[in-house]
Amino acid sequence: MRIVVLVSGTGSNLQAVIDAGESGELDVEIAAVGADREGTYGVERSAAAGIDTFVVNFRSYAERRDWDDALRGKVASYEPDLVLSSGFMRIVDERFIKLFEGRYVNTHPALLPSFPGAHGVRDALAYGVKVTGATVMIADAGVDTGPILAQAPVAILDDDTEATLHERIKVEERRLLVETLAKLAAGG
Ligand code: GAR
């Protein structure tokens, strides 16, 4: 299974995929890693691992549609079987979703449909729920609304901060992501 991974930040989920690929746990080829901004650690660590990288900088495009065209074109040029959002903090347009329909996988640090959006961990803490978790899903044109592939719960502790909770969620998120990709690679 040939994948392109999109990142906006540190790419720890991506690192889990790289590691699982290297250990043989996961049969994937990471064709490229791309970002929407310069200077992400996700791109840096991919380049260090010898993976092809690209940046389609959101701020370099006056028109949103031009950025969408550039991103879609760049990703498509690698002819991936699957596109993975590993903390990619941009909503892609419907043309991207259509081109990679059912093949754009995303993760989210909450138990969807609760707490969608950019602050899933903070919003769960603020609401006061006692259990949150990680979700792996197929991305559609909405904000974290696509079909759910896998979920894992994480208990919220009384002294949790956004950072401590997010770290525990990410442990589950990485495990779930690798498991789900392995199933997709094996079974389509
Ligand atoms: C992950 O927890 C991911 O679920 C979240 O960003 C983090 C990225 O971590 N994504 C979202 O909140 C999307 N709504 P990473 O860059 O270390 O993989």
Side-chain angles (χ1 to χ4, degrees):
M1 188 167 71
R2 194 175 154 79
I3 67 174
V4 168
V5 184
L6 298 176
V7 298
S8 293
T10 58
S12 63
N13 283 326
L14 159 69
Q15 187 65 52
V17 175
I18 294 173
D19 292 346
E22 283 175 356
S23 74
E25 186 187 346
L26 189 58
D27 189 14
V28 294
E29 177 200 346
I30 303 178
V33 172
D36 61 330
R37 63 195 72 184
E38 300 292 343
T40 61
Y41 187 51
V43 160
E44 196 185 307
R45 67 165 99 214
S46 306
I51 298 167
D52 217 358
T53 63
F54 63 87
V55 175
V56 183
N57 193 338
F58 190 77
R59 295 185 192 284
S60 305
Y61 293 81
E63 298 292 334
R64 164 79 208 222
R65 197 178 165 83
D66 293 340
W67 177 80
D68 281 307
D69 285 342
L71 179 73
R72 193 177 64 257
K74 192 69 192 174
V75 173
S77 72
Y78 288 97
E79 301 185 342
D81 299 309
L82 189 137
V83 183
L84 170 66
S85 160
S86 174
F88 189 59
M89 302 305 267
R90 301 268 174 208
I91 303 295
V92 295
D93 74 355
E94 291 197 9
R95 293 170 301 156
F96 187 102
I97 296 292
K98 203 166 169 28
L99 186 61
F100 300 108
E101 194 160 16
R103 297 187 292 136
Y104 183 35
V105 171
N106 192 12
T107 66
H108 185 70
L111 292 176
L112 293 170
S114 293
F115 312 116
H119 305 291
V121 180
R122 189 187 308 171
D123 294 346
L125 262 183
Y127 194 95
V129 292
K130 301 301 176 201
V131 178
T132 184
T135 300
V136 179
M137 74 278 196
I138 301 285
D140 65 9
V143 178
D144 298 325
T145 50
I148 291 169
L149 297 175
Q151 288 186 306
V154 173
I156 296 182
L157 308 177
D158 287 344
D159 59 353
D160 259 334
T161 62
E162 186 177 349
T164 59
L165 178 57
H166 201 168
E167 271 317 305
R168 285 207 315 289
I169 290 173
K170 277 178 151 191
V171 172
E172 291 301 311
E173 196 175 346
R174 289 193 285 266
R175 181 183 61 74
L176 213 57
L177 176 61
V178 170
E179 269 177 30
T180 306
L181 289 179
K183 284 183 190 163
L184 290 170

